[in-house]
Amino acid sequence: MTTKFLGQEGFRWFIGKVEDRDDPMLIGRVRVRIYNVHSEKKSLLPTAELPWAFVVNSITSASLDGIGVSPTGIAVGSTVIGFFMDGNDGNYPVLLGTLGALKDNLSASDVPTDAYGISSVNKTTDGSEPASAYGAKYPFNKVLKTEGGHIIEIDDTPNNERIHIYHKSGTYIEINNDGRTVRKSTDDDYEILMKNKLVEVRGSVGITAKGDITLSSEGSITIKASKAIYLNP
Amino acid sequence: MMKNYELGEVEILDITLTNHDGSIKRGIAGQVFSIDIFEDINECSMYAEFTLIDAVNLIDNFAMIGEETISISFRSPWRDDIITYDFYAYSISPTSDVNGRASVYILKCTTYDYMFNCSRVIDKSYNTTIDEIVYDLVKKELNTKKDVFIEPTRGIVPERIPKLSPLGAVNYLKQKAVSKRATGGVYCFYENQYGYYFKSIEKIIEDGASTVNSFTFYAIANPHFSNNIEDVKIRNILQYSHVNRYNSLMKASQGVYKSKINSFDLLTNSIQSTDYNFNENKSKFEAGQKSMLQVSSKFANLIGSGDPLQMLVPNDRSRPLNNLPGVMGMKNAYEALFNDNVVRLKIIGDSQLAVGDTITLNLPDTSGFDIAKQTSDRTSGKYIVSRLRHMIEASGNKFLHYIALDCNRIGMGV
């Protein structure tokens, strides 16, 4: 070990490609094949013999006692940049971040398309469901898209500001530029309140169902109307 | 045989320059003005410089292109064995004219192994002991024909050689090697005329102990305590000076008296500390001359009462066997003590002398008051040759041979 004074013996940085993220310690470490340090040939240096690289979290993450953002965003194949904590010895890699880029044919990139004007969500409007409010322009849309297909968008595109939380099943919540909220669930929807609920609607309310509607109470049910109550069997 | 030679003269048997494809060989003893061959206990390879006074325009006529080989064989007149060095002349210095009749230039030379080493990158991983890795690197990857002497290391270490040359990889590994001895040992990797050595300083001292009596040098003009006056002439020290001597400030700043190794465990974000204290560990220092006072307990206590030199090293407890933090304090102190007393000498050449040898120096008492006492007990004693430069120079129709040496006093006494 040539390192005697960690942090005072130069900063040796590197780039590499992630080959394994199944950290047995479950703390976000990944195995990286570091360019010009590790052999390109897996026959000479198998993935299993690459050192585990530790990952740096954002300062917005406490990284303490189970609090903070989980360091699990890196995928196998991600290009990463980092440094060796032990300088020239090169045994303790620490990752600072990932490097997105264009694909080889320059026709696509590692950036989620939702960030630059191509929505990856193919919404088919159903019944009274309004059309998607998507209209993002680069570089205003902050997108978190996972490999499973979930998406969170915070879109600051001028005059089309929007918040969108999308589940891969098609369930989503979208708040458009005007504040209009669309909630859609592609499966059952449960809402459980442990106390009271007050719903104040300053417009009309319409409830339609293709199946039965049942209202039940362990107390009484009161229906009031200022003008009339119509029952159309 | 000795009567035919002047004191300091060396018998040059051959100096041959061979061109890049081996088709032309030429003896160049007549062109050689001086030869310097360098060895260093901290260098992985020997190197040399041949200064030529060239009246036949070898550069053009021999078509020197920096790929020539140059071989020199010589011996000191009282030695039986002939020593041969083979080098690559990798560079030619700028030339200067001598009255328009000859040019003077230096052939800078390195070894075959080092030349090959520069074009070789190690691209593999190991899961064995460091001594076995070193053997593989030097014998198989470097493919040296020279002997390799390796001191066994402790523990099986999974090592990924980070795309270094074979010799660069060994240099990298020597920092990580932990000897089987209790203190871990301070490893050196060097080359001399006999081979490559991957050994701890402690082992070098141990190995040299058996030959120490045959390498004794005297710094007095007319010694009367030797029965062999010829031997004394040969072993005469022509010049000497102390490069380092009892530098307690250096020792304090390098953690000889006290240090703390803080090991930052990346797996748990925690610090483990290992304290080193000279007085508590002095009995563990190996292979030194215990009679040579180098550090007093009182002073070590005094300086050791202050804040220690704090080192901070990365660690990962999930990895197998990392002994270093536990022995770093000892190794650090041992290395500093080894470099605490260094003498630079010029002596009559000896073709057998090599870096890593243990020698005895009888240095004079410089007080000037005690005529009867000509040898200083303080400075005389056993030393390790840590750097060596053979200096062979033309003198008329013969060659004289001197050696410049840096010698580290074998101390560790308390």
Side-chain angles (χ1 to χ4, degrees):
Chain A
M1 187 180 294
T2 54
T3 304
K4 288 181 179 174
F5 303 96
L6 193 152
Q8 298 176 33
E9 296 173 353
F11 183 83
R12 183 185 170 198
W13 62 274
F14 61 78
I15 52 176
K17 199 171 276 285
V18 174
E19 292 190 359
D20 182 7
R21 59 178 180 173
D22 294 327
D23 180 7
M25 300 291 181
L26 312 179
I27 56 172
R29 298 178 306 169
V30 293
R31 282 189 160 119
V32 182
R33 191 170 299 273
I34 297 168
Y35 295 122
N36 220 33
V37 172
H38 298 137
S39 173
E40 300 84 4
K41 300 170 187 166
K42 288 189 178 178
S43 58
L44 292 175
L45 181 58
T47 300
E49 291 183 15
L50 292 171
W52 287 106
F54 291 81
V55 294
V56 172
N57 266 349
S58 161
I59 55 166
T60 56
S61 177
S63 303
L64 180 70
D65 293 339
I67 304 166
V69 179
S70 69
T72 47
I74 296 175
V76 170
S78 291
T79 297
V80 290
I81 187 166
F83 69 98
F84 289 112
M85 192 166 268
D86 54 344
N88 283 328
D89 278 8
N91 280 312
Y92 294 95
V94 176
L95 302 187
L96 294 169
T98 54
L99 286 174
L102 288 171
K103 297 296 183 192
D104 282 346
N105 60 10
L106 306 183
S107 64
S109 79
D110 294 322
V111 177
T113 60
D114 309 79
Y116 52 83
I118 303 172
S119 175
S120 63
V121 176
N122 184 20
K123 287 181 180 172
T124 53
T125 55
D126 189 13
S128 58
E129 178 186 352
S132 169
Y134 181 84
K137 289 183 179 172
Y138 185 84
F140 298 104
N141 196 11
K142 291 82 179 169
V143 180
L144 169 63
K145 183 174 183 181
T146 69
E147 59 205 303
H150 311 305
I151 300 169
I152 297 174
E153 295 174 83
I154 299 176
D155 187 355
D156 291 324
T157 299
N159 303 317
N160 198 41
E161 291 85 353
R162 190 175 56 97
I163 295 174
H164 184 208
I165 301 171
Y166 181 84
H167 182 268
K168 66 162 189 171
S169 65
T171 296
Y172 70 90
I173 300 172
E174 185 180 55
I175 305 169
N176 77 352
N177 184 42
D178 300 323
R180 183 199 68 192
T181 305
V182 179
R183 279 182 65 238
K184 179 180 180 180
S185 177
T186 56
D187 207 321
D188 296 339
D189 185 13
Y190 295 86
E191 186 175 2
I192 294 134
L193 303 172
M194 303 307 290
K195 282 199 170 183
N196 302 324
K197 180 170 183 174
L198 172 65
V199 179
E200 181 179 332
V201 180
R202 296 188 179 179
S204 300
V205 175
I207 299 174
T208 61
K210 290 189 175 175
D212 298 335
I213 293 177
T214 303
L215 293 173
S216 63
S217 170
E218 291 181 5
S220 55
I221 293 177
T222 303
I223 299 174
K224 287 183 180 177
S226 297
K227 292 183 178 175
I229 295 174
Y230 302 100
L231 297 173
N232 293 317
Chain B
M1 180 180 255
M2 279 224 38
K3 291 176 183 173
N4 299 326
Y5 288 91
E6 180 183 321
L7 187 63
E9 194 173 343
V10 64
E11 187 181 357
I12 301 285
L13 293 107
D14 180 45
I15 308 176
T16 298
L17 186 69
T18 304
N19 74 339
H20 61 95
D21 62 3
S23 60
I24 307 172
K25 292 179 186 291
R26 178 169 183 144
I28 58 166
Q31 279 79 43
V32 169
F33 175 71
S34 69
I35 303 162
D36 295 275
I37 301 169
F38 300 85
E39 300 174 6
D40 192 324
I41 205 170
N42 294 309
E43 297 284 344
C44 61
S45 190
M46 301 181 297
Y47 60 100
E49 292 181 355
F50 290 74
T51 304
L52 271 58
I53 299 179
D54 181 3
V56 294
N57 195 10
L58 277 173
I59 293 177
D60 290 337
N61 295 333
F62 195 75
M64 292 169 69
I65 58 172
E67 295 177 12
E68 292 69 34
T69 57
I70 188 164
S71 173
I72 176 172
S73 298
F74 65 97
R75 70 178 166 194
S76 298
W78 68 93
R79 292 290 189 192
D80 294 327
D81 293 336
I82 296 167
I83 301 300
T84 299
Y85 290 91
D86 294 311
F87 291 107
Y88 255 109
Y90 69 90
S91 169
I92 305 164
S93 75
T95 57
S96 56
D97 258 0
V98 180
N99 298 328
R101 293 185 170 183
S103 55
V104 179
Y105 52 88
I106 299 170
L107 294 182
K108 294 176 182 277
C109 300
T110 187
T111 60
Y112 295 149
D113 287 345
Y114 193 78
M115 186 67 87
F116 179 69
N117 175 70
C118 289
S119 61
R120 184 92 175 83
V121 173
I122 301 302
D123 200 3
K124 61 199 286 191
S125 60
Y126 295 90
N127 194 17
T128 183
T129 54
I130 285 181
D131 56 295
E132 288 187 5
I133 299 172
V134 169
Y135 185 84
D136 181 78
L137 288 168
V138 181
K139 263 300 184 192
K140 295 179 182 171
E141 297 293 341
L142 189 64
N143 198 24
T144 184
K145 303 293 183 290
K146 300 189 78 168
D147 290 331
V148 183
F149 305 93
I150 298 174
E151 180 185 356
T153 58
R154 192 191 307 173
I156 291 174
V157 182
E159 272 299 337
R160 293 160 291 275
I161 302 300
K163 289 206 172 180
L164 297 168
S165 65
L167 294 175
V170 178
N171 266 337
Y172 158 80
L173 289 170
K174 81 177 181 186
Q175 306 288 344
K176 309 179 80 173
V178 178
S179 167
K180 287 186 173 175
R181 59 182 66 242
T183 53
V186 178
Y187 269 84
C188 299
F189 178 56
Y190 60 95
E191 180 192 19
N192 63 26
Q193 56 182 282
Y194 305 110
Y196 288 97
Y197 297 81
F198 186 80
K199 302 201 303 193
S200 65
I201 293 172
E202 294 88 330
K203 178 71 173 158
I204 295 169
I205 294 170
E206 277 180 6
D207 290 350
S210 59
T211 62
V212 68
N213 291 331
S214 64
F215 288 87
T216 303
F217 294 86
Y218 304 92
I220 46 181
N222 185 25
H224 56 270
F225 49 81
S226 171
N227 293 325
N228 186 347
I229 192 68
E230 292 300 329
D231 185 53
V232 169
K233 280 182 182 173
I234 294 162
R235 300 281 183 214
N236 209 8
I237 295 169
L238 305 174
Q239 295 170 12
Y240 80 96
S241 62
H242 292 274
V243 180
N244 293 326
R245 184 155 55 166
Y246 299 112
N247 187 337
S248 54
L249 196 60
M250 178 274 290
K251 284 182 283 194
S253 64
Q254 294 190 8
V256 168
Y257 306 111
K258 189 178 187 180
S259 68
K260 181 189 281 286
I261 315 299
N262 294 317
S263 174
F264 177 71
D265 184 5
L266 282 150
L267 200 63
T268 60
N269 280 1
S270 60
I271 296 274
Q272 289 88 45
S273 294
T274 307
D275 290 306
Y276 158 81
N277 179 292
F278 182 85
N279 278 335
E280 290 171 7
N281 291 279
K282 61 187 180 184
S283 62
K284 298 177 188 169
F285 284 124
E286 296 176 85
Q289 290 180 118
K290 298 297 182 189
S291 60
M292 179 195 161
L293 183 65
Q294 201 169 354
V295 174
S296 75
S297 297
K298 184 181 176 186
F299 190 75
N301 267 335
L302 177 68
I303 301 298
S305 63
D307 289 334
L309 171 75
Q310 296 215 18
M311 290 173 259
L312 179 60
V313 300
N315 199 4
D316 178 353
R317 69 172 64 174
S318 69
R319 297 189 187 184
L321 194 70
N322 188 346
N323 290 308
L324 276 171
V327 297
M328 269 186 77
M330 286 288 295
K331 285 167 68 113
N332 209 47
Y334 195 92
E335 190 171 12
L337 284 170
F338 180 67
N339 292 315
D340 190 32
N341 279 279
V342 180
V343 178
R344 183 160 293 165
L345 310 168
K346 183 180 179 185
I347 60 171
I348 300 292
D350 180 342
S351 53
Q352 302 282 0
L353 193 61
V355 78
D357 279 339
T358 304
I359 62 174
T360 297
L361 299 182
N362 283 320
L363 299 176
D365 181 350
T366 54
S367 66
F369 295 108
D370 189 348
I371 296 171
K373 186 183 177 187
Q374 297 191 37
T375 302
S376 165
D377 295 335
R378 292 292 315 284
T379 55
S380 299
K382 297 175 186 174
Y383 286 77
I384 296 285
V385 179
S386 58
R387 298 172 74 198
L388 180 150
R389 175 182 179 182
H390 289 286
M391 301 181 294
I392 298 171
E393 57 192 56
S395 175
N397 58 355
K398 57 184 180 288
F399 284 92
L400 299 178
H401 180 200
Y402 301 99
I403 299 178
L405 300 170
D406 273 5
C407 299
N408 293 42
R409 181 76 190 272
I410 302 173
M412 318 305 161
V414 292

